[in-house]
Amino acid sequence: MNFFKAIAAAGLVAASASAFSLPARAADITGAGATFPFPVYSKWADAYKKETGNGLNYQSIGSGAGIKQILARTVTFGATDAPLKADKLDKDGLLQWPMVMGAIVPVVNVEGVGPGELVLSGELLGDIYLGKVTRWDDPAIAKLNPKLKLPSAAIAVVHRSDGSGTSFNFTNYLSKVNAEWKSKVGEGTAVEWPAGVGAKGNEGVSGNVGQTRNSIGYVEYAYAKQNKLTYAALINKAGKTVQPTVASFQAAAANADWAHAPGYYVILTDQPGEASWPITAATFILMQKEPADKAASTEAIKFFKWSFEKGGKMAEELDYIPMPESVVKQIETTWTSEIKS
Amino acid sequence: MRSGKQGTSVAEMAFHGSAMEQAGSHDRARALNAFRLGDRAFYWITRISAILVLLLLGGIIVSLIVGSWPAIVEFGSAFLTTQRWAPSAEPPVLGALSPLYGTILTSAIAMAIAIPVGIGIAVFLTELCPLWARRPIGMAIELLAGIPSIIYGMWGFFILGPFLANTVQPFFIDLFAGVPVLGSIFGGPPSYLSLFNASLILAIMVLPFITAISRDVFATVPPVLKEAAYGVGCTTWEVVRHVVLPYTRVGVIGGVMLALGRALGETMAVTFIIGNSFRITPSIFAPGTTISAAIASEFAESDGLHQSSLMLLGLLLFVLTFFVLAAARLMLLRLEKKAGKQA
């Protein structure tokens, strides 16, 4: 029955959202989608409201749901962590661009292990999530961590139970670095997890890992930081051990070739470079090229423009990485040429 | 339900009231006519309410079937026997076996715990409890029913889960280690999120249903029957076993069915603590999933065949609940017949 309630609630939300966008003088900008950028979007919205008086109503309901809502035109913009391919964008008349970048970090809860002390390689992380490495005192973990004293206990693996862009980027990374993962599980917003327990949302995974002894999970960096979870260091493509810091995220982001990607389809996992954090990800905005409510659409673009210009520092405070200047210029040209207003 | 009933009865009284006034000043036939009209209106109001329920039920079934049609066409009966749940595989392989297994197993364990305890509480409250303690204990039980399921979920996640994983689970794992069958049913490692934890939470959640209904029907047993039994020297157990329970059988089973219905469909609390993993393992301490937990955690992000399969899961739960209720009715009928023959 709860399921029907949820549908009814979604219907109500959708109905109120469309009712909101009807008046000519757009009151609030409505958007829905990914949970990954929710902290930074709400911070921007707060500052934007103080400056301009226009509010943003963003529902962080997940990337897939965000895509559905923008296709149904119930919101002015959708947000997704897993970008849509160019042909899909063309088919549905959507415009897509990256808004901000962030990073996903493995988090652990093991007695005697502090933040950044545990070192994992992508392949090992894949083996743990495949259920092949099941104990913390496994020789494969000991080999990378000769100085750490790890308990003789089973590893409690935690993954997302809901479909999510965070999972998409995480499994995309594992597919790139672990051949068995690629053939057995693959990448996706919801995959067939071979091991572990599922928790709902970034907050669910952080809650579970914080709660469960000898566990491992993966969350967006801001959630790890807010919940004071013990993150692990990773060995990147260049074979160097890197800590999750804004510098290492930026190093990964700097490599991305946005200019030549149709629909800005770029996935930032496993980037080359000695300092690159291997699980970096961009999060995307989707808008209708021919919006039903042109005024609302113009308001939304104003907000995004403002965020690109003034939101960089706020994003960095929350450990997101602002888009580089050149990309922002390119995106702004795309707006004027593609969106009819 | 209750407020609706009151609403119609108030309307009916208003109808009658105005009709009476008319009867004072106008002729009798007209008044009678007004009464008849009132009756007919009442008849139709109630009938439409009943039809509305049927229409709603039919509508839900039809929309579930329509929504799940692509999955029915794609997987057919293999949906029921496939354990794999791989929405992002190419092509997607989706099977209902593990959520079905989880749903049935957790409900079965929950009922195995809740039925004896629930009826036990009801017997204590009606037969043995000192009068002054009846009210507080009874109210405490009813309050349990009023706690939102999300609270049970949070409590299970933060308090009960760690407690079970550190105490109860290791105890059973050590106790049955090396014993065939039992050793694998109670096999380790202990887990914060497991089928067992979910079953226990479900048992606590459905307990008030069984207790409250059993207590109410136990109170309907004529004292003379019980007194007669005590008079011929029966013990309290014998009175409960041979007088109270047979007399109230129908009501108690009704309460149990209501509880089972809730256990099968419970979503939020179970999603929190079952671990949401689509695997079937022999151990009850392993994480699993149920139909409603799977729908709750995956529906928002699903599309295409995946979403359609989730709809099909919903349809399965619908059918499962229907069969459970039908089986209960059948059982009651047979019990009734047997009782009739004996008498």
Side-chain angles (χ1 to χ4, degrees):
Chain A
M1 283 319 260
N2 283 339
F3 150 61
F4 294 111
K5 269 188 215 157
I7 290 185
L12 275 181
V13 168
S16 60
S18 55
F20 255 100
S21 57
L22 275 179
R25 191 192 63 84
D28 274 8
I29 307 158
T30 58
T35 55
F36 172 94
F38 176 61
V40 66
Y41 288 176
S42 51
K43 189 161 187 171
W44 283 342
D46 234 33
Y48 187 68
K49 175 134 195 169
K50 268 182 208 140
E51 212 175 293
T52 64
N54 287 334
L56 168 74
N57 171 15
Y58 182 73
Q59 308 153 31
S60 72
I61 49 177
S63 299
I67 294 171
K68 253 184 267 168
Q69 296 246 359
I70 186 67
L71 284 176
R73 294 171 182 259
T74 47
V75 288
T76 314
F77 71 90
T80 175
D81 297 334
L84 297 180
K85 294 232 166 82
D87 51 340
K88 168 94 175 131
L89 290 171
D90 289 341
K91 204 185 99 214
D92 294 317
L94 292 177
L95 188 67
Q96 169 176 274
W97 71 88
M99 196 63 215
V100 68
M101 292 177 284
I104 295 154
V105 295
V107 286
V108 297
N109 179 357
V110 181
E111 221 176 316
V113 175
E117 284 178 14
L118 183 74
V119 178
L120 297 170
S121 68
E123 186 162 15
L124 179 58
L125 195 58
D127 284 347
I128 291 174
Y129 270 85
L130 275 168
K132 275 171 68 188
V133 172
T134 58
R135 302 190 68 81
W136 282 110
D137 52 356
D138 192 286
I141 303 179
K143 211 177 112 196
L144 293 177
N145 299 281
K147 283 183 195 154
L148 277 184
K149 207 180 155 298
L150 290 161
S152 170
I155 303 177
V157 173
V158 184
H159 55 75
R160 289 283 288 272
S161 63
D162 48 337
S164 90
T166 314
S167 288
F168 168 78
N169 282 297
F170 184 72
T171 52
N172 172 279
Y173 170 64
L174 292 186
S175 297
K176 279 179 181 164
V177 293
N178 188 312
E180 195 179 341
W181 183 274
K182 187 172 182 168
S183 65
K184 271 194 176 162
V185 185
E187 61 176 50
T189 52
V191 297
E192 186 188 13
W193 298 98
V197 301
K200 204 165 158 48
N202 269 307
E203 57 280 10
V205 173
S206 16
N208 252 298
V209 172
Q211 176 85 207
T212 314
R213 246 177 275 158
N214 302 315
S215 60
I216 185 167
Y218 60 92
V219 290
E220 201 277 316
Y221 182 64
Y223 287 86
K225 203 174 169 190
Q226 274 163 20
N227 294 294
K228 299 196 170 56
L229 293 173
T230 307
Y231 51 81
L234 282 172
I235 297 173
N236 64 13
K237 199 172 187 177
K240 293 279 188 292
T241 303
V242 280
Q243 295 286 343
T245 58
V246 174
S248 67
F249 305 157
Q250 262 161 352
N255 277 311
D257 181 18
W258 297 103
H260 298 99
Y264 297 99
Y265 186 92
V266 171
I267 290 166
L268 289 170
T269 58
D270 203 29
Q271 290 292 321
E274 295 213 333
S276 296
W277 179 254
I279 329 180
T280 307
T283 183
F284 299 82
I285 298 288
L286 292 168
M287 276 180 74
Q288 294 279 358
K289 280 183 187 168
E290 287 178 41
D293 181 352
K294 302 218 159 90
S297 160
T298 316
E299 282 302 315
I301 294 285
K302 264 191 213 154
F303 168 70
F304 292 129
K305 198 173 160 69
W306 178 91
S307 301
F308 276 141
E309 277 163 14
K310 305 200 175 166
K313 201 159 163 287
M314 281 178 258
E316 275 172 355
E317 278 165 19
L318 291 171
D319 302 291
Y320 291 87
I321 310 133
M323 300 306 297
E325 195 111 345
S326 56
V327 184
V328 172
K329 283 231 171 68
Q330 198 185 337
I331 293 169
E332 285 177 346
T333 350
T334 318
W335 285 342
T336 41
S337 65
E338 298 271 359
I339 292 192
K340 296 188 179 120
S341 58
Chain B
M1 244 1 227
R2 186 180 287 168
S3 69
K5 228 184 207 166
Q6 273 173 356
T8 45
S9 71
V10 167
E12 188 202 8
M13 272 161 64
F15 233 112
H16 280 203
S18 59
M20 294 279 223
E21 276 166 30
Q22 283 170 5
S25 53
H26 300 280
D27 64 295
R28 193 178 150 80
R30 254 178 108 174
L32 278 179
N33 208 21
F35 281 135
R36 197 159 50 235
L37 261 178
D39 255 6
R40 186 163 295 168
F42 184 61
Y43 170 78
W44 276 107
I45 288 169
T46 51
R47 169 176 262 211
I48 287 169
S49 308
I51 291 174
L52 198 68
V53 169
L54 285 180
L55 279 180
L56 271 176
L57 190 71
I60 290 172
I61 295 176
V62 168
S63 56
L64 273 178
I65 292 176
V66 169
S68 58
W69 192 251
I72 296 174
V73 171
E74 176 76 24
F75 302 118
S77 61
F79 190 71
L80 291 174
T81 52
T82 310
Q83 193 194 322
R84 269 189 83 192
W85 182 269
S88 58
E90 281 298 328
V93 180
L94 298 153
L97 199 59
S98 59
L100 262 181
Y101 166 82
T103 306
I104 293 170
L105 185 78
T106 49
S107 295
I109 299 176
M111 298 316 284
I113 299 170
I115 292 175
V117 176
I119 294 182
I121 297 172
V123 167
F124 177 76
L125 282 179
T126 50
E127 305 294 325
L128 301 165
C129 184
L131 273 176
W132 59 265
R134 278 185 195 185
R135 261 189 155 255
I137 298 179
M139 273 175 58
I141 298 284
E142 273 155 27
L143 273 179
L144 273 184
I147 297 176
S149 63
I150 185 85
I151 304 293
Y152 279 106
M154 285 164 64
W155 180 71
F157 180 74
F158 285 113
I159 294 163
L160 187 70
F163 171 75
L164 290 176
N166 294 325
T167 56
V168 178
Q169 294 186 4
F171 170 76
F172 278 113
I173 291 166
D174 291 344
L175 187 66
F176 293 111
V179 183
V181 186
L182 284 178
S184 52
I185 291 178
F186 296 99
S191 169
Y192 285 60
L193 308 165
S194 74
L195 289 164
F196 175 73
N197 296 7
S199 308
L200 210 60
I201 283 282
L202 279 180
I204 299 171
M205 291 179 76
V206 300
L207 199 64
F209 290 79
I210 298 177
T211 300
I213 291 177
S214 302
R215 193 190 55 177
D216 288 351
V217 295
F218 286 173
T220 65
V221 179
V224 63
L225 285 183
K226 286 192 280 184
E227 278 157 19
Y230 282 122
V232 296
C234 285
T235 60
T236 312
W237 160 246
E238 282 167 333
V239 171
V240 170
R241 172 71 189 81
H242 295 292
V243 178
V244 176
L245 278 179
Y247 190 86
T248 56
R249 200 175 40 220
V250 177
V252 171
I253 293 179
V256 168
M257 284 307 135
L258 198 67
L260 182 56
R262 174 153 197 205
L264 285 171
E266 175 49 42
T267 308
M268 217 50 232
V270 172
T271 312
F272 254 68
I273 48 179
I274 199 161
N276 301 308
S277 109
F278 287 83
R279 284 185 301 276
I280 297 179
T281 52
S283 169
I284 58 168
F285 296 146
T289 190
T290 68
I291 291 177
S292 47
I295 296 173
S297 50
E298 297 199 358
F299 195 79
E301 288 274 325
S302 64
D303 49 18
L305 202 58
H306 185 194
Q307 189 166 73
S308 165
S309 299
L310 289 171
M311 294 285 244
L312 187 50
L313 276 184
L315 186 65
L316 276 180
L317 184 61
F318 207 94
V319 173
L320 187 71
T321 317
F322 175 80
F323 272 109
V324 164
L325 290 179
R329 287 264 155 212
L330 217 75
M331 199 168 79
L332 275 179
L333 271 179
R334 288 175 73 177
L335 274 174
E336 227 101 286
K337 257 192 197 152
K338 222 168 98 191
K341 264 182 206 150
Q342 273 171 355

